[in-house]
Amino acid sequence: GYAGRRLSGPIKNRTDRRIDPMSPDSIFAAPPEHDEAARFAHYGKILGDSPDPKTVLELCDTLNVCFMRLTFTDIAGHIKNVEIPASQFPKALDGEIMFDGSSIKGFVRIEESDMLLKPDLTTFRVFPWGNPEARVARLICDVHNSDETPFSGDPRRVLKRVAEKAAAMGYMVNAGVEAEFFLFQKDDDGGATT
């Protein structure tokens, strides 16, 4: 699987084909109507090795991205997101989208509820499913307090801090997600059984 994958050199995907960690295959899920060579040649040049807001906006325009999900996790590791329309993309890429932190279990009290989402542009992905004329993208974000200081309870920040401490001691932290899903047999009406 993908657990323990680092972005420090070539990696292998599920077919054991070596891919560059900054290729379009790892920067975003390119639309399926584009073959691999075209994705790499065209979209890789657009994003480059270190995406900036302008190039992400250009790519969103090129790929008909109409909505973006700004994702983060709560203290229990559950994925949360704030979905925004294209008109808010520049504001989001500048880290100016706020959300109510008191609505997230384990974050803050109501008095401290305003929180900011600061996107990591290297996590930009365009979902390959859905309407090609109105695609959805996502960015993984760091959570900050309203005064723009990093939120100490942000699980992503905590993981980064632990990884830095481990690296200083000569260790490498490998972390990954575990996707879970269920398969159901269909009943006579075509609905899922339990």
Side-chain angles (χ1 to χ4, degrees):
Y2 293 101
R5 205 159 78 162
R6 288 187 56 187
L7 295 180
S8 60
I11 52 177
K12 292 183 178 185
N13 67 9
R14 288 180 185 245
T15 60
D16 288 331
R17 176 178 54 89
R18 292 185 74 76
I19 59 173
D20 184 306
M22 293 307 286
S23 75
D25 284 329
S26 62
I27 293 198
F28 66 95
E33 66 267 18
H34 298 285
D35 66 44
E36 184 176 345
R39 288 196 312 252
F40 187 82
H42 184 70
Y43 302 123
K45 287 179 185 173
I46 292 174
L47 278 176
D49 290 340
S50 182
D52 60 40
K54 183 180 180 224
T55 56
V56 171
L57 286 172
E58 288 171 1
L59 190 59
C60 286
D61 187 53
T62 301
L63 296 175
N64 301 318
V65 174
C66 293
F67 296 95
M68 189 177 299
R69 293 182 184 175
L70 305 174
T71 64
F72 60 99
T73 58
D74 67 11
I75 199 77
H78 299 122
I79 296 173
K80 307 291 183 183
N81 78 81
V82 173
E83 188 164 329
I84 59 168
S87 63
Q88 295 293 305
F89 290 179
K91 187 176 175 181
L93 296 176
D94 287 337
E96 297 174 0
I97 297 293
M98 297 190 92
F99 73 101
D100 179 5
S102 67
S103 65
I104 307 298
K105 186 176 181 179
F107 268 33
V108 293
R109 299 178 306 231
I110 190 75
E111 302 83 28
E112 310 157 330
S113 65
D114 292 337
M115 305 193 90
L116 290 164
L117 293 172
K118 301 279 187 179
D120 176 351
L121 300 184
T122 64
T123 65
F124 179 73
R125 301 285 189 279
V126 176
F127 296 137
W129 54 82
N131 181 354
E133 300 304 315
R135 295 197 186 282
V136 178
R138 76 100 164 101
L139 282 163
I140 298 174
C141 298
D142 293 310
V143 180
H144 285 239
N145 298 308
S146 59
D147 64 1
E148 302 211 9
T149 58
F151 172 52
S152 61
D154 178 11
R156 190 166 194 256
R157 179 174 184 264
V158 171
L159 179 60
K160 286 179 185 178
R161 202 170 56 233
V162 169
E164 288 169 3
K165 285 182 182 179
M169 295 187 290
Y171 295 99
M172 182 180 73
V173 174
N174 289 316
V177 298
E178 181 179 318
E180 293 185 7
F181 60 93
F182 299 92
L183 298 176
F184 296 95
Q185 291 186 351
K186 292 183 179 181
D187 62 18
D188 294 336
D189 295 327
T193 61
T194 56

